[in-house]
Amino acid sequence: MADARFGDDAEPFKRPPAAGRLCVPVRPSAGGWATRLFRTPVGGGRTAVAFTDPARLRAVLGAAQPWIPLAEPALRALVEPLGVSELRIDPAFTAPAPAVAARAAAPKPASPPPAPLTPALTAVAEPRPLTALAS
């Protein structure tokens, strides 16, 4: 007799994988801990991020990053009221931190005083690097 779960389907019933524990980065807040939200590289929308194990979280966000264990459905329910619908699990890409500290520590070469601006010249601000993941 055929199993009622399978019916006439040639493919056996496949149960979706269990959500399991995810390591979710958090930050201190007035009420305890708040989930860290990030920005996507393209479009800049807010994104929730989680990792499948603490070692992956530390590799991307650093050893000092606090985290809490949450299941995927719990994380989605937590960020949905904030308008966040995207969840990235184990993101590997992050832009490097701005080199401001490295530039400040390096000795500055002596330079002549800047020439005054004329109407034909305009000041151009130094370009700043963009980060893929930001709080």
Side-chain angles (χ1 to χ4, degrees), residues 1-58:
M1 179 171 177
D3 191 326
R5 290 187 306 169
F6 301 131
D8 292 335
D9 191 6
E11 294 291 321
F13 176 73
K14 292 184 181 177
R15 180 169 289 174
R21 178 187 83 160
L22 294 173
C23 302
V24 179
V26 293
R27 60 179 174 74
S29 72
W33 294 101
T35 305
R36 278 190 68 189
L37 297 176
F38 298 85
R39 297 270 178 199
T40 55
V42 178
R46 291 191 303 176
T47 303
V49 172
F51 297 86
T52 53
D53 67 35
R56 290 182 184 207
L57 182 138
R58 285 190 300 270

